Amino acid sequence: MSHEIASRIVEKSPFLTTLVKEGLLDPSGEFLPKRSLDELRCSPCPSCAYRFKRVNCDEVKAWEVGYHGNCTGHHVAKILREGLRQGAKPGAYGHGIYLTPSFRYCLLYYGFPEQLADGSTLVHSLEVRCREQREHPVFPPSWQQDDVGVEKHRMEWVVADSCNAGITAVITKELRGRTKQEWISAG
């Protein structure tokens, strides 16, 4: 049943359909069920979202899981093929690949929103296994959402070397009739 629901999401999404057709994502994704507040306190992983595993991906289970957003959705196929690379300009904490352990924080600030023909919205981010990351306080400092699973002093991760960050999946959240801005406002 979970795979059937995920397949319907792929069919609705031109973004996901393209990645599946290019052989980059497994179309039989899994649904990540809604988690209780207590479960969210233990781990900031996705709740009520879909996980589409990257094809030909060796997950390094011992590495930590972080999330990376691509606000525009551009170059995601290239990123899935070649991996994450440092940007040309340094970010708030210098050069590196920026990740966060918080799925919600990633979606709110960096997720790629996709408006569908039926009026619904999907927001996509990348699930990344990483190691040797430097941890930093939340940025932007105006972040007010309470992400109980992550301490604010370690919300931003910077990985200096691309060999220490491997993309394992695309995580997609369906906003169920809301725009990204309405979802953000709902807290």
Side-chain angles (χ1 to χ4, degrees):
M1 179 66 132
S2 170
H3 297 298
E4 291 170 14
I5 295 169
S7 294
R8 278 184 266 164
I9 292 295
V10 171
E11 290 170 10
K12 286 173 54 171
S13 166
F15 174 75
L16 292 172
T17 299
T18 299
L19 297 177
V20 167
K21 283 182 179 176
E22 290 188 29
L24 299 168
L25 292 182
D26 180 346
S28 63
E30 63 180 302
F31 179 71
L32 306 171
K34 185 172 178 76
R35 300 167 66 226
S36 70
L37 188 56
D38 287 338
E39 291 171 318
L40 290 170
R41 281 192 176 102
C42 298
S43 169
C45 297
S47 175
C48 272
Y50 302 89
R51 182 178 189 268
F52 299 96
K53 189 173 184 222
R54 186 173 152 226
V55 174
N56 299 324
C57 162
D58 295 324
E59 287 191 50
V60 184
K61 297 283 186 193
W63 292 12
E64 292 195 64
V65 175
Y67 302 93
H68 178 82
N70 179 311
C71 298
T72 64
H74 295 129
H75 310 294
V76 171
K78 181 179 179 182
I79 292 167
L80 287 171
R81 278 193 293 277
E82 299 175 11
L84 289 166
R85 302 283 181 252
Q86 289 187 28
K89 299 177 187 175
Y93 297 110
H95 284 284
I97 298 165
Y98 280 69
L99 307 170
T100 178
S102 169
F103 175 69
R104 181 170 172 76
Y105 177 68
C106 181
L107 280 193
L108 286 171
Y109 283 99
Y110 309 109
F112 161 56
E114 179 184 21
Q115 290 296 134
L116 303 179
D118 66 3
S120 61
T121 304
L122 300 176
V123 183
H124 310 280
S125 69
L126 301 175
E127 177 188 272
V128 181
R129 290 277 180 166
C130 64
R131 65 179 180 166
E132 297 183 15
Q133 70 273 10
R134 297 182 319 265
E135 297 178 350
H136 298 281
V138 66
F139 187 88
S142 61
W143 169 258
Q144 297 299 317
Q145 299 293 327
D146 187 21
D147 195 327
V148 292
V150 180
E151 302 87 10
K152 290 187 184 205
H153 70 274
R154 61 179 299 266
M155 188 70 80
E156 295 273 350
W157 291 355
V158 181
V159 178
D161 191 333
S162 61
C163 72
N164 290 325
I167 301 165
T168 52
V170 170
I171 307 291
T172 299
K173 175 94 174 162
E174 186 174 19
L175 301 187
R176 307 208 187 262
R178 296 184 286 183
T179 65
K180 185 176 178 186
Q181 192 57 45
E182 289 168 339
W183 179 66
I184 289 169
S185 298

